[in-house]
């Protein structure tokens, strides 16, 4: 057995050659400063709750055939591993209980983990226009959610065949909502991220967090175009290549903090194009604001089937993240994508 292992090592030594072109230049490897992770408690406060790992799961579904199964799997995993969960759009349950069970996950995720409802900016605008903001308060309360995520999606609404017209600048709608209800808010985009001026306005609002949903992950504007006529797809396709990456947005927020010195917004959820734990670790480490990283589509792939598949995926992500914490430091001289 030992001779076989040594023989394997000889062959694998040839097969495992690397080159400088494969090097991940985001990190400096520091092998002298820590031991292997040993399961120590690394809990921390975020969104008023205690999280055991810096990972946020943004669910993208509700009111569909598999939504109940997917959301239950995600809520169960968040409880087991101490993560936070954001629901998909809760529009379907604002005034109807038909799909309520697809969203009603508090008993599964438990009382101790962050659990947030979700509505689009177009729905918020209409509710404020109708002076019916109590519908938001009632929904969040009945879900026993910790607050409301507002997804801001003017490009998606414009491209969506069933899309709604947004009349006012979204930041003004958010400011009005803050003045009219006492519900904690998170604001996010839906796959294109946000530029400097938008981020500058948001970090000076009384928000619990900004979620990036940056360019590089699931692009819901592109998704809507793909549902439409080919002629419309051809016309608007150039817009699907517009947006800000998570790395660009972290840099922008850091620069804004250095310029202004303050931020009313308390935290960041860095999502959009986060393919694995190293992407998340790099961006969380360089953020000047307290931050966690978010994954949606990567988790969704594993949440549609058996729970064990999702459990294994998340457990591996967290274990590898903790290993990175022990041995990798970000390289301050690296500024590439």
């Amino acid at each position: 057995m030992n001779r076989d292992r040594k023989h394997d090592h000889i062959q694998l030594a040839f097969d495992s050659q690397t080159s400088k072109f494969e090097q991940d230049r985001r990190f400096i490897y520091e092998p002298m400063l820590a031991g292997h992770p040993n399961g120590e408690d690394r809990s921390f406060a975020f969104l008023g709750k205690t999280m055991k790992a810096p990972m946020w799961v943004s669910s993208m579904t509700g009111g569909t055939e598999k939504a109940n199964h997917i959301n239950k799997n995600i809520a169960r995993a968040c409880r087991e591993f101490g993560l936070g969960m954001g629901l998909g759009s809760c529009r379907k349950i604002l005034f109807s209980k038909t799909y309520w069970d697809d969203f009603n996950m508090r008993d599964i995720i438990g009382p101790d983990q962050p659990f947030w409802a979700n509505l689009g900016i177009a729905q918020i605008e209409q509710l404020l226009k109708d002076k019916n903001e109590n519908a938001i308060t009632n929904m969040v309360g009945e879900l026993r959610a910790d607050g409301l995520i507002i997804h801001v999606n003017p490009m998606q609404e414009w491209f969506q065949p069933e899309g709604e017209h947004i009349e006012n600048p979204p930041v003004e709608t958010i400011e009005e909502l803050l003045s009219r209800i006492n519900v904690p808010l998170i604001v996010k985009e839906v796959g294109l991220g946000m530029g400097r001026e938008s981020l500058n306005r948001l970090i000076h609002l009384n928000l619990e967090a900004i979620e990036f949903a940056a360019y590089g992950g699931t692009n819901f504007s592109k998704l809507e175009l793909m549902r439409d006529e080919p002629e419309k797809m051809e016309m608007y396709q150039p817009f699907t290549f517009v947006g800000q990456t998570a790395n660009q947005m972290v840099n922008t927020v850091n620069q804004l903090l250095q310029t202004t010195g303050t931020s009313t917004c308390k935290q960041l959820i860095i999502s959009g194009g986060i393919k694995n734990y190293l992407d998340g670790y790099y961006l969380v480490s360089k953020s000047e604001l307290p931050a966690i990283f978010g994954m949606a589509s990567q988790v969704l792939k594993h949440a549609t089937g058996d729970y064990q598949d999702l459990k294994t995926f998340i457990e591996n992500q967290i274990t590898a993240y903790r290993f990175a914490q022990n041995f990798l430091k970000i390289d301050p001289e690296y500024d590439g994508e």
Side-chain angles (χ1 to χ4, degrees):
M1 179 66 70
N2 189 53
R3 291 181 63 185
D4 289 341
R5 182 172 65 86
K6 293 298 186 182
H7 181 271
D8 289 344
H9 277 187
I10 293 171
Q11 183 57 49
L12 291 172
F14 292 116
D15 295 339
S16 59
Q17 296 295 305
T18 58
S19 77
K20 65 179 181 179
F21 301 107
E22 299 173 299
Q23 181 187 23
D24 191 337
R25 294 181 53 244
R26 296 175 296 180
F27 303 104
I28 298 171
Y29 172 49
E30 297 286 5
M32 303 294 175
L33 309 181
H36 286 149
N38 58 12
E40 67 270 27
D41 184 4
R42 300 194 187 187
S43 299
F44 61 99
F46 198 84
L47 295 173
K49 297 286 178 91
T50 299
M51 296 182 64
K52 296 178 182 178
M55 186 172 172
W56 179 266
V57 183
S58 296
S59 178
M60 299 189 293
T61 186
T64 62
E65 185 178 349
K66 293 186 176 181
N68 187 265
H69 173 77
I70 291 169
N71 286 343
K72 282 181 176 178
N73 271 350
I74 292 172
R76 182 180 171 187
C78 287
R79 181 172 189 158
E80 181 170 353
F81 293 102
L83 313 180
M85 176 181 182
L87 289 167
S89 174
C90 298
R91 179 181 181 180
K92 289 177 182 286
I93 59 171
L94 256 179
F95 303 110
S96 170
K97 291 292 193 289
T98 302
Y99 298 106
W100 184 260
D101 288 344
D102 290 351
F103 298 86
N104 188 25
M105 298 293 144
R106 176 54 86 184
D107 286 339
I108 297 174
I109 196 172
D112 301 324
Q113 299 313 124
F115 173 63
W116 286 65
N118 183 335
L119 285 173
I121 192 68
Q123 289 83 60
I124 301 294
E125 185 178 78
Q126 188 61 51
L127 289 168
L128 291 176
K129 185 177 181 180
D130 296 340
K131 302 187 184 305
N132 194 17
E133 60 271 16
N134 285 339
I136 300 170
T137 305
N138 293 338
M139 182 191 72
V140 171
E142 288 184 57
L143 283 171
R144 292 169 289 167
D146 296 305
L148 179 73
I149 299 169
I150 303 173
H151 62 267
V152 178
N153 58 338
M155 196 175 293
Q156 182 192 16
E157 293 286 5
W158 186 260
F159 295 156
Q160 188 176 29
E162 313 86 356
E164 296 181 87
H165 186 72
I166 297 172
E167 295 182 6
N168 303 308
V171 70
E172 295 180 7
T173 300
I174 295 165
E175 288 171 338
E176 184 178 355
L177 183 66
L178 282 166
S179 71
R180 287 168 62 170
I181 67 171
N182 186 27
V183 172
L185 299 181
I186 294 172
V187 175
K188 66 173 290 186
E189 222 277 325
V190 295
L192 296 175
M194 289 175 265
R196 182 183 182 88
E197 293 186 31
S198 293
L199 288 169
N200 189 40
R201 291 290 294 271
L202 290 180
I203 66 172
H204 293 106
L205 295 182
N206 188 27
L207 303 175
E208 294 302 309
I210 300 167
E211 181 178 356
F212 286 176
Y215 184 89
T218 301
N219 183 330
F220 281 89
S221 299
K222 183 175 182 179
L223 184 152
E224 298 299 349
L225 276 178
M226 293 170 68
R227 296 178 56 233
D228 213 321
E229 298 295 328
E231 294 79 8
K232 188 173 180 180
M233 176 67 177
E234 183 178 357
M235 175 181 175
Y236 283 113
Q237 188 176 22
F239 280 107
T240 66
F241 301 106
V242 172
Q244 276 64 49
T245 66
N247 188 60
Q248 289 173 323
M249 292 177 72
V250 169
N251 289 339
T252 298
V253 172
N254 286 348
Q255 291 164 6
L256 288 169
L257 292 175
Q258 291 167 9
T259 300
T260 65
T262 60
S263 172
T264 310
C265 175
K266 304 172 182 66
Q267 295 142 130
L268 299 178
I269 301 172
I270 303 171
S271 62
I274 309 297
K275 305 301 184 186
N276 56 52
Y277 51 88
L278 280 185
D279 292 340
Y281 175 64
Y282 174 70
L283 294 167
V284 167
S285 297
K286 70 185 289 188
S287 173
E288 298 287 341
L289 278 180
I292 60 176
F293 72 99
M295 301 180 82
S297 61
Q298 295 295 314
V299 172
L300 190 62
K301 293 176 185 177
H302 299 273
T304 56
D306 185 79
Y307 175 71
Q308 186 61 43
D309 182 31
L310 177 63
K311 175 179 177 177
T312 300
F313 172 76
I314 290 180
E315 188 171 34
N316 288 341
Q317 293 293 312
I318 293 172
T319 300
Y321 188 97
R322 288 173 176 161
F323 186 85
Q325 284 181 304
N326 282 23
F327 295 106
L328 302 183
K329 310 296 181 185
I330 64 169
D331 187 343
E333 296 183 2
Y334 179 79
D335 59 1
E337 284 290 321

